[in-house]
Structures are given as structure tokens and as C-alpha cells.
């Protein structure tokens, strides 16, 4: 009798666990479908803000309740080709050729970061493409976890499947962070050079692209030796890259 009760109890718990896993799977699928719908929406509609923007605004308002972001959407044709070339040269030289993820770059970045960690150094290298950065900026956060990275990869393939490269670059240039509370090419051009995104020259564009890996730092340290050197490198490289 006791054995029979034990068997029934195991079956009952097995069904509960199975039902729970099915419910979890359904929630995951529903969430991914929702994210896919958002990707389709942004393929045709311009975002008023992004996930990173909202997080940054919350951070700024912790010390200043009246803080506002500097952000103004501009269409692709009103962004300097120099900035487009400089950003592609800096962030993703194979942007027009890959399908959203460059696994070899991710592997090299991981190996480099492991060596840096072993040496006790804090400097890290990223292997993300422009599409991956767009997925993170538009939908996710700056947190570092395998779960967030997995979601970023899924969103990246969704974006590449739905959007042409021109739209991906247009979105990225408009939501990229360029300083403390500064987002998008138009706000960056006005913040640093008192001009429009369309009016940026090649050296100005190269310097803005050089700031992208650490924009809040370079907003406060605009004349570092590295920034000057990187700007010169990008000025030479940007002539050779393709843009959509």
C-alpha cells in the first residue's frame, strides 16, 4: 500500500513539474514573440527613446529630479556620410557583409579578456557588431550576464532578418550613447561641435566614433592622447569602408 502511494505521489509531482516546465516554455515563447513584434514595429517606426535612454534618465534623476536627455531623431539622409563611415570603421568594419554576429570576433575578445583578467587588468574588449549593440541599446541593458547576452543574440538575428542594413545603421546612429545624457548623432553633433549631424566634417565624425566605446568618460576627458590617436586612425580607415 505504501509503495502504491509513493508511486502515485511521484506521478503527481512529475505532472506538476511537467506542467510548470510547459508553462515556463510558453511564457518564453510569448516573450520572444513580443520582442519580435517590437523589432517589426521599429523596422518602420522611429523610437522615441530606448531602454538604455530610460535607464540613464532614471540614473540622472537620482541626483537631479529635473534632468533631461539630449536626444533628437534625424533620418538617415540627414546624417553625415563621414559619421556613418567612421562609426562602421570603428565599431564593425564588416557590417555590410555579416548576418549580425561575428563569432570569430567574439572568440578573440573572450580570449583577450581572459588574458587581461589573469594579469589583473581591468581593460576589456568587446566583440559585438553594430546590430548586437543596437539590440542591447534599444531593448536591453548594460548589465553583463549570460542570460542578457543570449537574449541579445536572439534579438540580433531577429533584427537582421527583418531590417535592411540601412535601417539598422539609421537606428544605431540615433540611439547610440555619446556622452552623459547625450544620445544620437544629432544631439552629439550639437553637444560637441554646435553643428548638425549632417554638417559634421571627417575629423569631427572620426572623433565622435572614437568616443563610442566609453562616451561618458570622453565627454569629460575630450583631449586624451588615446582619443587623438584613435581619431587619426579612423580618419584614415573610414575612407575604405562600405556603408549601406
Amino acid at each position: 500500500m505504501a509503495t502504491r502511494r509513493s508511486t502515485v505521489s511521484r506521478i503527481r509531482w512529475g505532472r506538476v513539474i511537467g506542467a510548470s516546465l510547459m508553462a515556463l516554455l510558453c511564457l518564453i515563447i510569448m516573450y520572444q514573440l513580443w520582442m519580435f513584434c517590437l523589432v517589426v514595429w521599429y523596422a518602420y517606426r522611429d523610437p522615441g527613446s530606448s531602454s538604455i535612454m530610460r535607464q540613464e534618465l532614471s540614473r540622472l534623476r537620482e541626483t537631479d529630479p529635473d534632468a533631461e536627455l539630449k536626444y533628437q531623431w534625424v533620418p538617415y539622409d540627414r546624417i553625415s556620410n563621414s559619421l556613418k563611415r567612421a562609426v562602421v570603421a570603428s565599431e564593425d568594419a564588416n557590417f555590410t557583409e555579416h548576418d549580425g554576429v561575428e563569432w570569430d570576433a567574439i572568440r578573440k575578445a573572450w580570449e583577450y579578456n581572459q588574458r587581461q583578467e589573469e594579469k589583473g587588468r581591468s581593460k576589456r574588449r568587446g566583440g559585438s557588431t553594430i546590430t548586437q549593440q543596437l539590440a542591447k541599446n534599444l531593448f536591453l541593458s548594460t548589465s553583463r550576464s549570460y542570460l542578457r547576452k543570449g537574449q541579445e543574440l536572439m534579438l540580433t538575428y531577429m533584427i537582421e532578418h527583418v531590417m535592411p542594413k540601412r535601417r539598422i545603421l539609421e537606428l544605431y546612429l540615433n540611439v547610440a550613447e555619446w556622452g552623459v545624457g547625450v544620445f544620437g548623432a544629432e544631439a552629439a553633433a550639437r553637444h560637441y561641435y554646435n553643428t548638425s549631424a549632417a554638417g559634421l566634417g571627417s575629423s569631427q565624425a572620426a572623433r565622435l566614433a572614437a568616443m563610442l566605446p566609453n562616451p561618458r568618460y570622453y565627454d569629460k576627458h575630450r583631449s586624451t592622447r588615446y582619443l587623438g590617436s584613435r581619431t587619426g586612425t579612423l580618419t584614415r580607415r573610414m575612407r575604405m569602408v562600405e556603408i549601406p
Side-chain angles (χ1 to χ4, degrees):
M1 191 71 172
T3 302
R4 184 177 178 182
R5 285 178 182 171
S6 177
T7 302
V8 170
S9 179
R10 284 198 300 270
I11 292 173
R12 197 172 290 164
W13 275 109
R15 287 175 177 173
V16 169
I17 294 170
S20 299
L21 290 174
M22 285 297 295
L24 178 61
L25 180 61
C26 287
L27 287 173
I28 291 171
I29 292 172
M30 289 173 64
Y31 177 74
Q32 297 306 327
L33 285 173
W34 169 244
M35 297 304 285
F36 183 75
C37 289
L38 287 178
V39 169
V40 173
W41 174 261
Y42 287 130
Y44 302 99
R45 299 287 183 176
D46 304 332
S49 66
S50 70
S51 177
I52 298 295
M53 286 184 207
R54 292 187 289 273
Q55 291 171 43
E56 174 64 358
L57 184 59
S58 295
R59 186 187 72 84
L60 292 174
R61 285 183 173 173
E62 289 176 0
T63 54
D64 180 7
D66 298 321
E68 295 292 340
L69 301 180
K70 296 178 181 178
Y71 171 66
Q72 181 182 342
W73 176 275
V74 284
Y76 191 81
D77 291 336
R78 286 173 52 196
I79 300 174
S80 164
N81 281 341
S82 292
L83 184 61
K84 296 168 191 170
R85 293 183 184 280
V87 168
V88 171
S90 175
E91 300 296 291
D92 188 359
N94 297 320
F95 173 64
T96 58
E97 300 172 10
H98 61 64
D99 62 354
V101 179
E102 287 204 291
W103 292 105
D104 189 52
I106 291 175
R107 178 184 60 79
K108 289 179 179 178
W110 184 83
E111 291 174 351
Y112 173 84
N113 294 340
Q114 288 293 108
R115 291 195 298 270
Q116 290 292 95
E117 187 174 340
E118 290 170 1
K119 295 176 182 177
R121 298 173 182 172
S122 60
K123 186 178 179 181
R124 295 292 184 269
R125 180 183 296 170
S128 297
T129 64
I130 283 175
T131 313
Q132 286 176 265
Q133 293 179 56
L134 175 61
K136 178 188 72 176
N137 291 348
L138 196 54
F139 299 104
L140 303 174
S141 71
T142 56
S143 66
R144 294 178 180 272
S145 70
Y146 289 115
L147 185 61
R148 188 200 63 78
K149 196 66 178 178
Q151 183 61 60
E152 177 189 299
L153 291 173
M154 293 194 69
L155 282 165
T156 296
Y157 284 119
M158 290 179 193
I159 290 169
E160 286 279 345
H161 180 75
V162 169
M163 301 183 194
K165 292 287 187 177
R166 177 185 170 108
R167 179 59 174 171
I168 294 171
L169 186 57
E170 180 183 40
L171 283 166
Y172 177 75
L173 291 170
N174 272 285
V175 302
E177 185 177 15
W178 252 298
V180 179
V182 181
F183 289 86
E186 185 71 15
R190 296 191 181 280
H191 180 68
Y192 292 105
Y193 298 112
N194 198 29
T195 188
S196 66
L200 289 167
S202 58
S203 61
Q204 294 171 330
R207 183 168 286 267
L208 286 179
M211 291 178 175
L212 281 171
N214 199 352
R216 296 180 196 175
Y217 175 83
Y218 290 121
D219 190 1
K220 298 178 180 179
H221 305 84
R222 303 186 186 185
S223 301
T224 68
R225 181 178 298 178
Y226 170 80
L227 192 58
S229 174
R230 181 65 174 166
T231 298
T233 300
L234 291 177
T235 302
R236 294 187 294 273
R237 286 183 183 175
M238 58 194 278
R239 304 188 189 101
M240 299 180 286
V241 302
E242 292 184 23
I243 56 173

